[in-house]
Structures are given as C-alpha cells and as structure tokens.
Amino acid sequence: MKNFITYGLFLIVILGVGLIGCSSNNQTTTDSVGSYSNQNQNREELIITSESDTITIPIEQIPTIRTYLEEYTTSSSERKTEIDRMRVNPLPNPNATYAVISYSCGIKLCDNVLVNYKNDQVTSIPLPQSSFFQEALFTVDNKYLAIKFGKNEGSTVSRSSLVIIDTVEIKNAEFQNNSEIINKITNGNFTVPIRNLHWENDTTLKVTIPDIKDYSFKTIEKWINEESETKTKEVKITLGSIPNG
C-alpha cells in the first residue's frame, strides 16, 4: 500500500510578533503555509495541522532544529526569517503524526529531520542534508518508512538517497541483506538515481534504478537522453535483524 504525501500542512511558530506569511517550495510534494502569532512570547512551537488532527510541538523538543537556531540567538528578525523558510512535509499515518521538516534552506536544497509525535512524546531523527524531499512510503503494517531525497547535478541529472526508518524504535532500519549497490542507494552520498519505490511486502522494498555500467555524470546523462530511461533494474532491500544461527 503506497502512502504518498498528499495532505496540506500548516506550520505556525509562536514568536510574539505580527502575522507574516511563509513561502512554499516546489521541490516537495506538498505546500506548507505558516504564520506568526503573539499568543506566547516566550515559547517557539510548531503547530502541525492535518485534516484529522492538530499537534503542537515545542521547537526545543527537536534537538536538530533547536541546535541550528542557536546560530540566530542575537537577531530575532534573522531567527524569524529562518523559521519562516522551513518547509514542512506531512507523512499521513493512522498510528502517529509524522513530518519531514526541511530547514536551513537555500534556493533548492535543505537540511532535513523526521519528527514523530505519539502518546504525547516527541522523537526525531536527522535525515540527509543539502537535499530536497521527494517522497515517502510506509509499509502496510506501518512498521517501516522509506523516504527518498534528491540532489540535482546540472540541469539533467538528479541523484537520490534513500532512508528507511524503523517506526517502532524511530531509528534507521536494519538490513538483512547488503551489497555495494544497496550501500550506494542508502549511504547518503547521492550516487544513484532512484526511479521508483515499491513495498513488495512488510519487510521487502523494491528500488528501481538505471541498469548502467557506472554512475558517472556522463553515463547517467546518456541513459536519460539516449535510452529514454527504459533500461532499469530492481534492487531488493530486506529489512529486519539478521537471524541468529
């Protein structure tokens, strides 16, 4: 079952100033809209609103973003600007509230963190830096979450990196199988273009990539321009601890 990112989301940060609009980003699959209000002058919060619920998360409970914003403690206007530039991507799930928050954004690329809210507890895990969020898929049982990020090289080539999260422990999932190509897909170095993701079952992810001899810029560009992206192959990633014995 594919749970693509389809919901709208509102990012509201409590900063004690007047209402100001927030920009959206075409690189993500959803738009985020934010504003500032003066309801609480001493606390910064993320208010994540989906079609079914509204969750308030203090920024201080997201260590990655809290640490980043420490660079802007001397200028409230710069701090507001940085928060205003954050891009929020909701990950619809019936069991908990998930969102990829993109921050420290330039024109195209951002740093990223996954935020999870469940049973009044906030957990988060850093995600690939200097990239743009592309898509996310939960397994049918919602135990695993695959998130794809991208990074452009020139105007034609886009490389990807895949993160797979164990949503029970909120940590990087363990792989039962590993190989050089799986490492290239998941090591965060943005080496391989990923064309498609598909959960075969609750523990096996199929990843479609180019069927080419190497992943140099020229080879990828040739594959895109001359071969019409028709030559692909599937890589299977099996999740879970390696059985003993």
Side-chain angles (χ1 to χ4, degrees), residues 25 85 87 103-110:
N25 181 340
R85 292 169 60 195
R87 301 163 185 173
Y103 63 98
S104 186
C105 295
I107 296 175
K108 295 182 178 180
L109 305 180
C110 304

Side-chain angles (χ1 to χ4, degrees), residues 12-20 35-45 76 80 83:
I12 301 179
V13 183
I14 311 303
L15 285 178
V17 295
L19 292 177
I20 304 176
S35 62
Y36 299 110
S37 78
N38 58 5
Q39 296 176 9
N40 187 331
Q41 297 184 6
N42 299 316
R43 188 176 182 181
E44 295 172 338
E45 298 173 329
S76 60
K80 288 184 295 183
I83 295 172

Side-chain angles (χ1 to χ4, degrees), residues 44-108:
E44 295 172 338
E45 298 173 329
L46 300 181
I47 300 178
I48 303 176
T49 302
S50 68
E51 293 182 356
S52 60
D53 203 1
T54 299
I55 303 298
T56 300
I57 300 177
I59 282 181
E60 64 183 17
Q61 293 186 21
I62 309 173
T64 304
I65 295 180
R66 183 186 67 224
T67 299
Y68 171 71
L69 289 176
E70 288 176 358
E71 300 177 25
Y72 300 93
T73 55
T74 59
S75 173
S76 60
S77 62
E78 289 184 1
R79 189 177 179 94
K80 288 184 295 183
T81 298
E82 287 305 307
I83 295 172
D84 186 63
R85 292 169 60 195
M86 291 181 186
R87 301 163 185 173
V88 179
N89 306 280
L91 312 183
N93 185 280
N95 300 329
T97 296
Y98 292 88
V100 172
I101 299 178
S102 300
Y103 63 98
S104 186
C105 295
I107 296 175
K108 295 182 178 180

Side-chain angles (χ1 to χ4, degrees), residues 179-225:
S179 64
E180 181 180 357
I181 190 60
I182 290 176
N183 184 57
K184 287 180 182 295
I185 291 170
T186 61
N187 65 11
N189 290 333
F190 293 89
T191 304
V192 182
I194 297 175
R195 285 300 180 258
N196 186 50
L197 304 176
H198 173 71
W199 286 107
E200 183 176 60
N201 53 50
D202 286 333
T203 57
T204 303
L205 180 69
K206 286 185 176 180
V207 183
T208 303
I209 63 173
D211 188 7
I212 51 182
K213 62 181 180 179
D214 62 65
Y215 295 98
S216 66
F217 178 87
K218 289 185 177 180
T219 302
I220 297 174
E221 188 176 46
K222 181 180 178 181
W223 176 78
I224 293 172
N225 294 332

